[in-house]
Amino acid sequence: MDDRPTDGTRDQNSADVVELTGRLLCADLTEASTVRQHLPEHIALTRAEPGCFRFEVEPTEDPLVWTVVEQFVDRAAFDAHQARVRTSRWLEATAGIARDYVISTRDSLDEVSAVTPSPMLRRLRASDAPAVHAAFGSADDMARQGDVTTLAEAERYVARLLEEDSPHEPWAIAEGEELIGLIAVTVDEENLSGWFWYWVTHRARGRGLTARAAATVAQWALTERGLERLELGHRVNNPDSGAVARAAGFVKEGTERGKFLIDGQRFDVDTYGRLRTDPAPAFDSLPLRAGE
């Protein structure tokens, strides 16, 4: 979004939280239609930025007006957001639409953290495609999770997981309704086993959410879903993934030497398994909303 305040800005300490509030003002229904068309992707891409704590663009009773609230961890994060938006499809489509914004600062993250929705697990939806697209663009290592560089590719990625005869059981890690990660089990019905895999967007990392989500879904798969074995693997130079596996109750079973060839270099892979009869780990489970 071309976040241009109407009253200018002052010099701000980089430790301050930057907040933008205001309105997006369409001149007619054609402009409003343009906003509705491009807004989902714009929201998803912005929320995936590492320094974004809150980004809300909400319709009002007036069909031509949206309210805007943005909160970024510091001035550098806010400036990086604006730099990205200046070359985005959102701004290309909406540059002529009026904005009425004010930028201010806060001394700490306390108030920002207070409005962050609690994380939970819910079923993946087709409408999550913009958030998936944003997640794959949030970090270079996401390229190992699949070929998703455009919104259309994200839509196909989600559609494959949601096909009626799909072997996948995909769960979205969400804050509010916003997808910030994915935990999935690819099920082998004949052997009552499943390949377990996961990823999170860049800004969701380092908070322990992946481990909590993985433990919650693994417990579900081995109880309610009725599987008897789960397995996973990760490159030996990705210890964070191993830590998630162990926190979810998986036991290291071995190392496959030279399994993956990535950019001309071979990598060993550590393999893990968890049986229904294995003791469940102690973990802080996430709420799991299955009824969708």
Side-chain angles (χ1 to χ4, degrees):
M1 184 177 295
D2 183 15
D3 301 322
R4 295 164 291 192
T6 57
D7 62 345
T9 60
R10 61 179 175 84
D11 291 336
Q12 295 160 332
N13 188 303
S14 62
D16 290 340
V17 177
V18 178
E19 181 175 70
L20 178 149
T21 58
R23 298 179 301 165
L24 184 65
L25 306 167
C26 296
D28 51 38
L29 292 177
T30 298
E31 288 190 349
S33 177
T34 299
V35 170
R36 287 192 296 271
Q37 177 184 352
H38 293 276
L39 187 57
E41 182 183 27
H42 177 54
I43 290 175
L45 290 171
T46 301
R47 288 176 175 173
E49 294 172 8
C52 177
F53 273 82
R54 185 182 181 191
F55 189 80
E56 307 290 344
V57 185
E58 299 289 345
T60 67
E61 293 182 0
D62 185 334
L64 303 182
V65 178
W66 278 257
T67 60
V68 181
V69 178
E70 306 180 12
Q71 293 169 329
F72 288 83
V73 64
D74 56 21
R75 169 57 69 172
F78 181 71
D79 289 346
H81 161 67
Q82 292 207 318
R84 180 193 66 77
V85 170
R86 280 194 289 270
T87 61
S88 69
R89 288 186 293 184
W90 162 258
L91 188 59
E92 180 181 357
T94 68
I97 297 176
R99 275 83 164 167
D100 179 17
Y101 294 159
V102 174
I103 296 175
S104 59
T105 59
R106 299 186 182 190
D107 293 334
S108 74
L109 295 177
D110 292 344
E111 293 182 58
V112 176
S113 299
V115 300
T116 301
S118 297
M120 66 167 182
L121 288 155
R122 61 162 173 79
R123 286 298 194 174
L124 183 68
R125 305 167 182 159
S127 59
D128 287 322
V132 170
H133 178 215
F136 272 78
S138 71
D140 291 341
D141 60 11
M142 285 295 295
R144 295 193 294 269
Q145 303 295 336
D147 186 14
V148 176
T149 59
T150 67
L151 179 58
E153 288 172 346
E155 290 170 344
R156 289 193 290 270
Y157 176 95
V158 172
R160 285 194 297 271
L161 293 177
L162 296 179
E163 288 176 350
E164 187 173 348
D165 59 350
S166 169
H168 307 294
E169 295 276 10
W171 291 90
I173 309 172
E175 286 182 329
E177 294 299 321
E178 176 199 355
L179 178 146
I180 59 172
L182 191 70
I183 307 286
V185 185
T186 301
V187 175
D188 176 352
E189 295 285 6
E190 181 179 356
N191 293 296
L192 292 179
S193 64
W195 180 259
F196 199 85
W197 51 280
Y198 41 81
W199 54 257
V200 293
T201 188
H202 184 278
R203 76 177 180 89
R205 298 178 183 180
R207 298 160 52 187
L209 280 178
T210 315
R212 292 176 63 193
T216 303
V217 173
Q219 190 68 17
W220 167 85
L222 293 170
T223 55
E224 293 183 43
R225 183 58 176 82
L227 301 184
E228 296 181 357
R229 172 179 167 82
L230 299 174
E231 53 194 40
L232 64 83
H234 70 84
R235 290 172 296 103
V236 296
N237 64 341
N238 184 14
D240 289 345
S241 187
V244 169
R246 291 188 294 275
F250 286 77
V251 177
K252 183 178 175 180
E253 297 179 333
T255 300
E256 297 179 276
R257 297 175 299 155
K259 182 177 178 66
F260 291 149
L261 178 63
I262 302 174
D263 296 330
Q265 183 178 357
R266 300 212 72 89
F267 289 89
D268 295 348
V269 171
D270 283 344
T271 59
Y272 289 76
R274 179 176 167 184
L275 302 179
R276 182 189 296 180
T277 53
D278 288 340
F283 66 98
D284 183 13
S285 65
L286 289 179
L288 189 147
R289 197 169 76 198
E292 296 190 356

